[in-house]
Amino acid sequence: MAFVSFLSRRLYLKFLVSYLLLGVVVACLGVYILGYLAALGRGVDQLLHDDLPLHMEAGRCLQLARAEESLAKKSLVTGDPAFIKRTDEVGQQLVAALTALAANLPEGEWRRAMATAEEAHRGLWQRQGDHATLKVHRVDELGATFNIVSDLLNAVRDGLQERMEARLQESDRAVRHTFHMGLLGWVVAMGVGGLLAYWTARHVTGPLHEIRTATRRWAQGELTYQVTMERDDEIGDLARSANQMARRLAELDALKEEFLANCSHELKTPLTSLREANALMLEGAAGPTSDGQRKLLEISRHELDRMQRRTAQILDLSRIRAGQMGYHFRTVPVDALLHRSIQGTDLLAARQGIEIVPPDFPDATVHGDEERLCQVFTNLIANAVKFNRPGGRVWFEVERHDDGETPAVDIAVCDSGIGIPEAELGRIFERFERGHADASLPGTGLGLAIARFIVEDHGGELRVASTPDHGSRFVARIPSTTEGAAHA
Ligand code: ADP
């Protein structure tokens, strides 16, 4: 038990033990198969070096016996001494071959058979010094003796033949057994390997996938998300550390929000006073002003307006994030909403030679907070003008969606402007993210983030499609009934 709990805490030990197990299985099978192959090698060796040469030697003896028999018969018939001499020479070769064969045969029946053959052969000849004569004078007697010698040699040769066949069959069985064991080994190794792969996928890849999902959600700003994982090993440690990091990031994020909100709040009143004072001075309430002074006052009014807008945006963002926006939902006619949102931007657009095609959607309505929705479309229209070119156009498209769970209306703000590069599309809705326009055009990078939050608080979504150099299309899907709204 202690070992198992130790293992569960060490991932690398789990791997080590599993792969060792696989290694041991494969090694055992390998040793077993090698044993069989060694036995097979020994069998083939015996066949080639023992049985086959003996078999060939027995064959040679048989040939010599047949040659001697034929010569002996001719000697008997002719009585020619030259023939008898030649027969004796062959006979001596046969005796030498029989002796060598008997010496190499194993002790037992075969060796005794060769001794008997030698004995029978010896009975044929009478020797005085170098002179040898045939003891037998009848052909049939001669034939009978050679029959005995041939029968004995044939018996030994057949025996050797059978032994070779038995060895070959044995080798064949060994080869087949080795093949089957190899196959079994492959199946076992594949099975254990498959189990290991499954285990790795379940215990390592799965949890890593979970952590990757969490990091993606954190990257999208969902810092409250936590990885749920009850593990004691390194992956569990990683998940705990990652969770801790996310909590810390959430704390820092909250601190940053609070700081920004406090700063904006603190700036709001003095900015309003400054704006008022500036306006009074421009109206001449503090006495007459020179042209130069008026110019400076205009510039400071412009900058004060900008600062007021920014602080208002930061405050809006913190309110939305804290869920304190306080929406007032009601039915809003789309046509009126878009006309209201154009106001303020139309003059700027006209100055820049950009046409805003007036909206004409008398029947469409959405359910939402008119002020906040106006803020969304004002921002989208302002961007469509800001990121446009002289001679460009801005227009609207409205489409009802009654087929989904919540009936909704798609309101699209389209422009023929500079478009957005694909790489930037994913992040323009993030806070403080500014795209290609960064340096040259004014902006904070907060407008789209606020617009998206407001639309999402309405239970809708804000999407964009864009082609660089051709234009962009921002679509806000807003529910047309009460059901979708988060803060109704
Ligand atoms: P800002 O306009 O203050 O820079 P936004 O959040 O409104 O911030 O927009 C973020 C970025 O998205 C912009 O800086 C710009 O690069 C890109 N963008 C938004 N609307 C458009 C548009 N209609 N055409 C091209 N780019 C756009």
Side-chain angles (χ1 to χ4, degrees), residues 313 379-388 413-415 417-421 424 427-438 441-450 464 466 471-474:
Q313 275 186 325
N379 184 265
L380 294 181
I381 296 164
N383 278 346
V385 170
K386 186 161 69 172
F387 301 109
N388 217 317
V413 179
C414 315
D415 67 68
I418 58 177
I420 305 166
E424 287 175 12
R427 52 189 176 86
I428 54 170
F429 292 107
E430 300 298 320
R431 287 168 296 158
F432 301 106
E433 279 294 341
R434 305 204 58 218
H436 47 79
D438 225 358
L441 293 161
T444 54
L446 285 174
L448 283 182
I450 294 173
V464 61
S466 185
S472 311
R473 188 171 186 272
F474 283 85

Side-chain angles (χ1 to χ4, degrees), residues 18-30 32-33 179-197:
S18 322
Y19 283 107
L20 272 180
L21 201 74
L22 181 61
V24 167
V25 170
V26 173
C28 286
L29 273 164
Y32 185 77
I33 290 171
F179 173 74
H180 287 144
M181 287 314 287
L183 202 65
L184 181 73
W186 181 79
V187 170
V188 170
M190 288 301 280
V192 177
L195 281 177
L196 266 176

Side-chain angles (χ1 to χ4, degrees), residues 99 160 247 258 282 304 313-314 341 367 371 383 412 466:
T99 313
L160 283 166
R247 276 197 297 273
E258 200 183 320
L282 271 172
L304 282 169
Q313 275 186 325
I314 293 173
S341 307
H367 186 77
E371 285 303 315
N383 278 346
S466 185

Side-chain angles (χ1 to χ4, degrees), residues 40 169-182:
L40 180 70
Q169 274 170 6
E170 183 64 25
S171 304
D172 187 47
R173 266 198 300 278
V175 167
R176 246 178 290 168
H177 188 75
T178 310
F179 173 74
H180 287 144
M181 287 314 287

Side-chain angles (χ1 to χ4, degrees), residues 113-185:
M114 287 306 94
T116 312
E118 265 186 81
E119 191 60 43
H121 183 268
R122 212 173 297 130
L124 287 175
W125 291 91
Q126 190 172 8
R127 195 171 292 282
Q128 276 174 348
D130 279 350
H131 187 69
T133 48
L134 275 167
K135 265 203 251 171
V136 182
H137 299 291
R138 282 183 23 220
V139 172
D140 56 344
E141 251 182 277
L142 201 69
T145 306
F146 275 107
N147 278 349
I148 291 170
V149 172
S150 298
D151 286 351
L152 288 168
L153 277 168
N154 272 325
V156 168
R157 205 165 72 139
D158 290 349
L160 283 166
Q161 176 90 25
E162 272 170 31
R163 198 164 81 168
M164 282 198 297
E165 276 168 14
R167 279 201 210 283
L168 278 175
Q169 274 170 6
E170 183 64 25
S171 304
D172 187 47
R173 266 198 300 278
V175 167
R176 246 178 290 168
H177 188 75
T178 310
F179 173 74
H180 287 144
M181 287 314 287
L183 202 65
L184 181 73

Side-chain angles (χ1 to χ4, degrees), residues 166-337:
R167 279 201 210 283
L168 278 175
Q169 274 170 6
E170 183 64 25
S171 304
D172 187 47
R173 266 198 300 278
V175 167
R176 246 178 290 168
H177 188 75
T178 310
F179 173 74
H180 287 144
M181 287 314 287
L183 202 65
L184 181 73
W186 181 79
V187 170
V188 170
M190 288 301 280
V192 177
L195 281 177
L196 266 176
Y198 173 73
W199 178 84
T200 310
R202 247 180 85 88
H203 280 76
V204 182
T205 322
L208 283 180
H209 183 75
E210 236 173 88
I211 295 174
R212 191 184 62 178
T213 310
T215 52
R216 281 194 182 150
R217 294 177 75 155
W218 293 332
Q220 284 160 5
E222 219 182 307
L223 293 172
T224 47
Y225 183 80
Q226 293 274 288
V227 186
T228 42
M229 205 181 288
E230 293 297 323
R231 286 174 67 137
D232 264 354
D233 58 13
E234 291 93 329
I235 292 189
D237 288 348
L238 177 67
R240 276 186 290 281
S241 306
N243 279 341
Q244 210 175 351
M245 181 194 74
R247 276 197 297 273
R248 186 83 190 106
L249 278 176
E251 278 169 23
L252 289 172
D253 200 47
L255 267 178
K256 185 192 76 188
E257 290 290 334
E258 200 183 320
F259 176 75
L260 278 174
N262 285 344
C263 283
S264 309
H265 193 72
E266 292 300 320
L267 283 172
K268 207 173 146 188
T269 321
L271 273 176
T272 314
S273 307
L274 281 170
R275 177 83 170 68
E276 288 295 316
N278 184 290
L280 286 173
M281 280 199 275
L282 271 172
E283 282 164 18
T289 48
S290 67
D291 283 352
Q293 284 168 332
R294 285 189 72 77
K295 217 175 231 167
L296 289 173
L297 283 169
E298 294 279 359
I299 294 173
S300 68
R301 187 180 67 175
H302 181 73
E303 288 305 315
L304 282 169
D305 282 350
R306 231 154 64 96
M307 277 186 81
Q308 247 183 344
R309 274 201 304 276
R310 281 190 186 189
T311 46
Q313 275 186 325
I314 293 173
L315 271 176
D316 275 352
L317 204 61
S318 355
R319 277 204 212 106
I320 293 171
R321 308 248 316 156
Q324 294 168 349
M325 198 57 162
Y327 295 99
H328 302 290
F329 283 84
R330 64 184 186 83
T331 300
V332 182
V334 172
D335 212 44
L337 175 68

